[in-house]
Amino acid sequence: MIGLEAISRAVVSFRAASEPSERRIAFGVDARLDGRGVSDVLANQLDSLAADLLEVAAAIYAADRCVLRPRYLGFERGHHWAREISVSIPVREPDRWAGIKPDLVRLLEWLTDDDWSVTFTTAERPAFSGGQGYLISTLPDDIEPALFSGGLDSSAGLALHAGSRALLPVSVQTNPHMTAVQDKVLDGLRAISGSALPAVRFRVNLNRSLTGVPGVKQESSQRSRGFLFLAAGIAVALTMGKRHLWFFENGVGAINLPYLRSQIGSQATRSAHPRTVHEVARLVGKLADVEFRISTPLLRMTKAEVISSVANEYEQVMAESVSCDTGFAARVSGHPPCGVCTSCLLRLQAVLASGYPAIDRAKEFRKTPGRQTAELAAMLWQASRMERRISEEDPWAGLVEEFPEILYASEFLPAQDLVRLLRAYVREWPQLLSSTGLAVGDWFSEQVRAF
């Protein structure tokens, strides 16, 4: 039996157009893809194609983190964003991967806005052993994998299905604090549901010196992280003989329209976008020659609607979750969420507008949002533009004119569903504004104030 941690020794080579020479990432030295967290469930027996998928995604993620973007200035990024990256990845089944290379490149360009060139070489590592008796004997036949980050949406999604469906949470963690948060949520779910709720966890770590630039941290945008997250869940599904994965993300967060007109392309992350989900499922279907589905049951709901749908006994479970761009990695005692990033603000807005407005009352945040919070102003400007367009005679036409990027989402959600989603989202803002001492009328019409 060959464990993932024992064979993830690939040497991935990559080159950025902005750098003079090729660089290498040695897994097991410069980067680590650790599958020991799957041992109790999968007995470390990933299918070889599944292992390739996971390692390809980890290699892409590592290269993405190692190549700094030309400019990264938050809400003032401008157009200097894209990179040119060439990467060579060893795989066990190179012929299969060669056949889907155009699909992979298209997916990566959509996720990151970068120009990618990908080649595959034959891996010298052995294939995985084929038996899965341990897996079959320890998991229910009807269990299906579900992505689990430790965030509010994935925690609520597991709670919503706790009594009706057998789900296997699959997570990717990059630091011990993330593990601790995920464990608290899972322990809470187990205690309430009475289910053993087995879980699968992969760990990915990168050496901080990988950028090759003294004193410079790794690229923080991490736009390929969504591919790694999905690949982990799909790898588990394929190994289990399943053709289905659950992904819990609210609709507003998934379509993630830009807050400012200066944001272009993937500067508004597309990790959970319905097009991303579709492209990944299609890529895996071609790679494995199967029909693979990724279900996103929360896509038509706002975050507040998701929270409100959860049974009240799970309120404390949702409180244990973390929804912050830096909360898992913050080097602050106790790792409190920042409170002012767009993820924290969306959570705050949703919690206050939900049926459980006290969920985060006891949670510590590093900062409190107010009039000087740039992220709050950007989110309010976006929401006020949505409201103005939705109130027009033809709300869909107005939204398309104001947010052309919404057309990417309309390929997968009907226009009327998107209009309803954003109308509900706009109406959820007054509670947050009131809580921060801001006048609702400064941003929204009387119709929203009266809601």
Side-chain angles (χ1 to χ4, degrees):
M1 187 177 300
I2 301 170
L4 180 61
E5 72 278 4
I7 67 163
S8 291
R9 304 297 186 200
V11 176
V12 176
S13 60
F14 70 96
R15 166 175 266 156
S18 59
E19 298 177 357
S21 60
E22 181 180 88
R23 293 163 58 194
R24 294 190 170 194
I25 301 169
F27 277 85
V29 180
D30 302 313
R32 185 173 184 174
L33 172 58
D34 189 342
R36 284 180 294 182
V38 309
S39 58
D40 291 339
V41 177
L42 300 181
N44 282 343
Q45 287 190 279
L46 285 181
D47 172 86
S48 60
L49 188 60
D52 273 347
L53 174 64
L54 187 55
E55 291 182 348
V56 165
I60 294 293
Y61 173 71
D64 180 20
R65 296 297 308 276
C66 290
V67 180
L68 298 178
R69 291 191 180 276
R71 183 182 179 196
Y72 189 73
L73 299 173
F75 282 105
E76 298 178 0
R77 295 167 187 158
H79 288 67
H80 301 287
W81 168 258
R83 303 160 297 180
E84 294 181 25
I85 303 174
S86 300
V87 60
S88 177
I89 307 172
V91 292
R92 297 166 188 80
E93 301 191 41
D95 291 341
R96 283 182 181 262
W97 284 95
I100 59 90
K101 184 166 66 173
D103 304 89
L104 177 62
V105 169
R106 182 172 60 249
L107 170 66
L108 296 177
E109 290 178 346
W110 158 254
L111 280 172
T112 70
D113 277 335
D114 300 313
D115 291 326
W116 287 85
S117 175
V118 183
T119 56
F120 298 105
T121 60
T122 302
E124 297 179 358
R125 304 183 302 290
F128 284 96
S129 54
Q132 294 182 37
Y134 180 79
L135 169 65
I136 294 172
S137 67
T138 57
L139 292 175
D141 290 339
D142 62 345
I143 198 168
E144 292 182 321
L147 294 178
F148 174 62
S149 65
L152 199 155
D153 283 15
S154 62
S155 302
L158 290 177
L160 282 168
H161 291 80
S164 60
R165 189 180 299 276
L167 294 179
L168 175 68
V170 180
S171 60
V172 175
Q173 59 99 348
T174 56
N175 63 65
H177 178 55
M178 183 180 293
T179 305
V181 170
Q182 292 171 353
D183 285 345
K184 285 182 180 179
V185 173
L186 292 175
D187 286 346
L189 289 168
R190 293 181 183 117
I192 296 170
S193 67
S195 167
L197 194 62
V200 174
R201 177 180 293 135
F202 297 98
R203 184 173 63 181
V204 179
N205 296 106
L206 305 181
N207 189 313
R208 293 192 174 194
S209 64
L210 274 176
T211 56
V213 182
V216 177
K217 296 181 180 179
Q218 293 157 9
E219 170 57 41
S220 60
S221 58
Q222 303 187 52
R223 289 302 185 257
S224 64
R225 186 186 180 100
F227 179 41
L228 176 60
F229 193 37
L230 283 161
I234 294 166
V236 171
L238 293 177
T239 300
M240 293 170 64
K242 304 290 184 179
R243 304 293 180 258
H244 187 210
L245 175 68
W246 293 84
F247 188 7
F248 302 119
E249 180 71 27
N250 75 85
V252 175
I255 65 174
N256 198 30
L257 296 174
Y259 296 112
L260 302 177
R261 292 194 175 100
S262 60
Q263 288 181 283
I264 59 172
S266 69
Q267 289 176 350
T269 180
R270 294 165 168 168
S271 293
H273 196 283
R275 177 173 170 180
T276 300
V277 173
H278 172 79
E279 291 287 345
V280 171
R282 191 166 69 88
L283 182 148
V284 171
K286 292 180 67 173
L287 183 66
D289 195 24
V290 298
E291 182 178 344
F292 196 91
R293 293 186 301 118
I294 303 176
S295 293
T296 53
L298 310 184
L299 190 59
R300 286 174 166 81
M301 305 168 70
T302 69
K303 201 178 194 78
E305 290 172 336
V306 170
I307 299 169
S308 300
S309 299
V310 178
N312 57 13
E313 59 260 38
Y314 291 101
E315 182 176 356
Q316 184 55 40
V317 172
M318 291 190 289
E320 296 288 358
S321 67
V322 171
S323 308
C324 178
D325 294 342
T326 62
F328 284 127
R331 298 186 176 279
V332 180
S333 178
H335 304 276
C338 73
V340 293
C341 68
T342 54
S343 296
C344 278
L345 291 171
L346 179 58
R347 177 183 177 120
L348 175 61
Q349 179 256 33
V351 166
L352 291 174
S354 75
Y356 304 103
I359 282 179
D360 288 340
R361 187 164 292 168
K363 189 181 289 290
E364 178 187 358
F365 293 90
R366 300 200 300 273
K367 295 180 181 179
T368 301
R371 294 180 180 276
Q372 303 305 314
T373 303
E375 289 83 358
L376 177 58
M379 294 179 77
L380 285 168
W381 191 58
Q382 180 207 56
S384 65
R385 289 155 56 208
M386 288 177 181
E387 192 223 349
R388 179 169 55 85
R389 291 299 194 168
I390 288 170
S391 64
E392 294 176 354
E393 183 177 353
D394 187 343
W396 176 245
L399 285 171
V400 170
E401 184 176 3
E402 191 73 31
F403 302 97
E405 297 83 359
I406 202 171
L407 289 172
Y408 292 128
S410 68
E411 298 176 36
F412 310 98
L413 276 179
Q416 62 267 28
D417 288 356
L418 289 165
V419 171
R420 189 220 68 84
L421 175 73
L422 297 182
R423 179 177 284 119
Y425 172 67
V426 167
R427 289 174 173 172
E428 292 167 358
W429 274 98
Q431 289 91 331
L432 184 146
L433 288 170
S434 299
S435 72
T436 55
L438 296 172
V440 177
D442 288 349
W443 293 96
F444 300 108
S445 71
E446 184 176 343
Q447 180 181 357
V448 174
R449 293 201 303 273
F451 179 73

